[in-house]
Amino acid sequence: MKKTIVTSMVLIALTSLLGGCSTNLSSSSTLSHSSKTAKTQTKRQKLISALPKGVRSTDSDLIVVNKWHQHNELNFSKATVKDIPVRETIVKPLTAFLKGAQAAGYPATLVSGYRSVDYQETVWNQSIKTYEAKGKSAKQALKLTKEFVAVPRGSEHQTGLAVDVMNTKWYDANDSQLLSKSDQTAGQQWLIKHAPEYGFVLRFTKTGKASTGIGYESWHFRYVGKKSAAFMTKHNLTLEQYVSLLKAREKVAK
Ligand SMILES: [Zn+2]
């Protein structure tokens, strides 16, 4: 029990320091005597000074949508890649990414791209109904849905900048399922490793859950642009953490 409390405190502290979304979780008083905090602060300062030039937290490619930062339907031009709708601005890099995988000998399937808030809401409601039909209480149905379905207005698929991409061979051999263990194949590993060269990052990493609110997904890629993708990958930063660093730099510059 005690260990759980300590772990949660550290998680809360890390979230607020490294960039989670809850700005009210001030940790200065609780952690002021910790040398670990001092180290974290130094590391944060170093990261801030190393941030790529010309990138701003308000850039449209860096919009953060998650369960703490929900958005109504966003307005942008759409186009399709292999019949999947995405934001028009990522058609070129996404096409190049898929071509790159193909050329490397690992054809990939674009499973999903833009999804509207309405669609997400339908998925959400259907999930609750399905659980209830299976005999779960309304409360249980909601709990299970929260676990497996992104809350309407809180899925970054609504940005048109997020795509689910799977190694075709694995995807076809596994009943078109999206499962983390797909990363055990060389093809999915290629996608994860080379995504930044095309401006994409693996959005939900193994270490990122505290700041993203979502567990590891070996197939969900997010376009952020090449400069940001390289920096985020090098320093193992989630988008939430990266944007928080950019905001800190902008605050100092004012
Ligand atoms: Zn996804």
Side-chain angles (χ1 to χ4, degrees):
M1 184 69 185
K2 200 175 175 191
K3 199 180 169 198
T4 316
I5 293 169
V6 171
T7 312
S8 325
M9 279 181 69
V10 170
L11 278 178
I12 289 168
L14 275 176
T15 309
S16 59
L17 283 169
L18 285 172
C21 310
S22 314
T23 47
N24 295 328
L25 291 171
S26 170
S27 55
S28 55
S29 56
T30 44
L31 289 174
S32 58
H33 301 295
S34 160
S35 63
K36 205 175 173 188
T37 309
K39 263 188 199 164
T40 309
Q41 283 295 5
T42 314
K43 195 185 162 202
R44 186 171 160 86
Q45 284 312 320
K46 276 187 186 161
L47 281 171
I48 292 169
S49 18
L51 282 166
K53 294 200 166 57
V55 181
R56 294 191 61 84
S57 65
T58 47
D59 290 350
S60 58
D61 288 341
L62 298 179
I63 184 168
V64 173
V65 177
N66 58 31
K67 63 180 173 185
W68 303 288
H69 283 117
Q70 299 183 10
H71 285 266
N72 289 326
E73 189 66 31
L74 301 161
N75 210 349
F76 52 85
S77 304
K78 294 163 194 93
T80 58
V81 173
K82 300 194 185 247
D83 294 333
I84 302 281
V86 293
R87 191 182 286 227
E88 195 175 24
T89 52
I90 72 160
V91 168
K92 267 192 190 170
L94 178 60
T95 306
F97 184 29
L98 296 172
K99 273 191 181 160
Q102 174 97 29
Y106 303 116
T109 300
L110 177 59
V111 179
S112 183
Y114 162 76
R115 294 201 292 254
S116 69
V117 173
D118 276 355
Y119 177 82
Q120 198 65 33
E121 197 136 34
T122 309
V123 174
W124 176 272
N125 292 334
Q126 265 172 2
S127 167
I128 291 177
K129 269 188 200 157
T130 308
Y131 283 122
E132 285 179 348
K134 282 181 184 165
K136 304 279 179 199
S137 69
K139 204 179 161 189
Q140 284 171 321
L142 179 65
K143 190 173 176 256
L144 285 161
T145 298
K146 272 185 183 166
E147 208 169 310
F148 296 106
V149 181
V151 63
R153 300 170 68 247
S155 162
E156 78 164 8
H157 278 282
Q158 78 184 72
T159 66
L161 299 166
V163 287
D164 296 332
V165 183
M166 290 291 281
N167 172 253
T168 302
K169 201 175 155 192
W170 192 94
Y171 188 62
D172 290 348
N174 287 274
D175 301 323
S176 305
Q177 293 183 89
L178 299 174
L179 297 175
S180 303
K181 64 180 179 186
S182 62
D183 67 2
Q184 287 160 18
T185 64
Q188 201 66 22
Q189 276 171 18
W190 188 96
L191 292 169
I192 295 168
K193 186 176 174 202
H194 294 275
E197 294 162 25
Y198 302 92
F200 291 85
V201 289
L202 189 71
R203 177 73 170 91
F204 305 118
T205 58
K206 284 179 178 162
T207 53
K209 193 178 174 184
S211 63
T212 64
I214 295 192
Y216 179 56
E217 290 189 357
S218 60
W219 60 86
H220 180 109
F221 296 90
R222 163 66 194 261
Y223 185 78
V224 291
K226 282 187 193 177
K227 270 191 211 174
S228 299
F231 190 84
M232 288 168 67
T233 307
K234 184 178 176 190
H235 299 286
N236 188 28
L237 297 168
T238 64
L239 182 59
E240 285 80 358
Q241 292 166 337
Y242 178 61
V243 167
S244 161
L245 293 172
L246 288 171
K247 280 185 181 162
R249 175 171 75 177
E250 287 153 18
K251 211 172 171 185
V252 172
K254 261 178 200 167

